[in-house]
Every structure is written in C-alpha cells, then in structure tokens.
Amino acid sequence: MTKPRHSHYRYLAGFTLVELMIVIMIATILLTVAIPGYKTSIRKSRRTDAKTALLDIASREERYFNTANPPGYSATPTDLGYTSFTPVGSGYYNVTVAVTPAAPPSTPAQFTITAVPVPGSDQAKDAQCTQFQLDNLGRQTSLPNVTGCWQ
C-alpha cells in the first residue's frame, strides 16, 4: 500500500504574518520601556565623572594653598596641574573654579568648584542633577538640591 501524495506546501514550517507582527509589537513595547531606564542609568553613572573631578580639583586646591606664598587658592588650571578644566572625565561636564582671595582679618580665602553638563550633550538632558558644587569647606551641593546627586 502506498502513501497518498500530498502537496509539499503542507510540510513547510514558518511564521504567519500575524505571528510576526505580534513579536514585533512585543519587542517594541519592551524597548519603549527599557530605553528610557537605560539612558537614566547611563546619565547617573556619568555624574561620577563630575563628582570625581570636583574632589580631585579640591584636593589640588588644598595642596596649592599649603605651598603658595602667600597662601591662597587658584582658578588657573596650570597652577593645579591641569591644561584645562573643561571638559572633564568622559567629556560630559565643564568645570569652573571661582576663587575669593583672603580679606584679612576676618575673611579667609575661599573657592567654589562647579560642574555643569556640556550643552547639547546627552548629559544635559539629566534633569535630576543639573549641576554639582564643592567648596573649600567640603560642602557638596547640587542643583536642584536633591539628596541623591552626591551619593
């Protein structure tokens, strides 16, 4: 007894158009949810560059203060061993140093170091922590003033 002959199309396996569209819809939904979270995580990790740069510059400012004659701070990058303060780290932040000279007898020399995202960079879209500051007293502040920025 011989088997009946069937069309060879019956044995082909594959996806229907409906199945393919369902897979594409699911992938789109997953990407729509995952990409913003990924970008937020990346921006948060880049903040470390800014904080590290501020702490390093503050350390160099203190070293400069102790070796300068007369004692004082410097806003000049080359005095602190840098060629430039901008951009720092991976290039996502610009840093500025503001120095206030001593005014004896009551006002000591002071500095404030500020890091802001480079305009037009992806980091400039970080609305949670838009600016970091560190002063000669070690005060760490951020704009907006939220607790999670320096942690």
Side-chain angles (χ1 to χ4, degrees):
M1 185 160 168
T2 61
K3 292 184 180 177
R5 296 189 119 198
H6 295 286
S7 170
H8 68 281
Y9 294 111
R10 177 176 257 185
Y11 296 105
L12 290 178
F15 296 106
T16 64
L17 183 58
V18 172
E19 291 171 329
L20 188 59
M21 293 308 294
I22 290 172
V23 169
I24 290 173
M25 275 184 21
I26 291 171
T28 302
I29 291 169
L30 289 174
L31 286 174
T32 302
V33 172
I35 288 176
Y38 173 74
K39 285 187 175 188
T40 299
S41 295
I42 293 296
R43 289 180 188 133
K44 188 175 179 180
S45 70
R46 289 180 188 147
R47 294 177 198 157
T48 304
D49 283 345
K51 295 182 283 189
T52 301
L54 267 63
L55 292 168
D56 183 59
I57 293 169
S59 169
R60 292 172 186 233
E61 285 286 5
E62 291 302 330
R63 193 173 325 131
Y64 184 83
F65 183 87
N66 290 323
T67 59
N69 192 8
Y73 298 111
S74 178
T76 306
T78 54
D79 288 346
L80 304 175
Y82 287 96
T83 55
S84 171
F85 289 137
T86 58
V88 298
S90 300
Y92 289 98
Y93 284 89
N94 288 329
V95 173
T96 56
V97 177
V99 173
T100 305
S106 61
T107 307
Q110 301 173 12
F111 70 80
T112 301
I113 310 165
T114 305
V116 295
V118 173
S121 71
D122 183 60
Q123 199 63 24
K125 297 174 186 172
D126 184 6
Q128 187 177 359
C129 303
T130 59
Q131 179 176 321
F132 294 95
Q133 284 188 329
L134 179 62
D135 67 11
N136 58 293
L137 299 176
R139 290 182 291 215
Q140 301 170 340
T141 56
S142 63
L143 290 178
N145 193 9
V146 292
T147 56
C149 289
W150 269 93
Q151 294 174 347

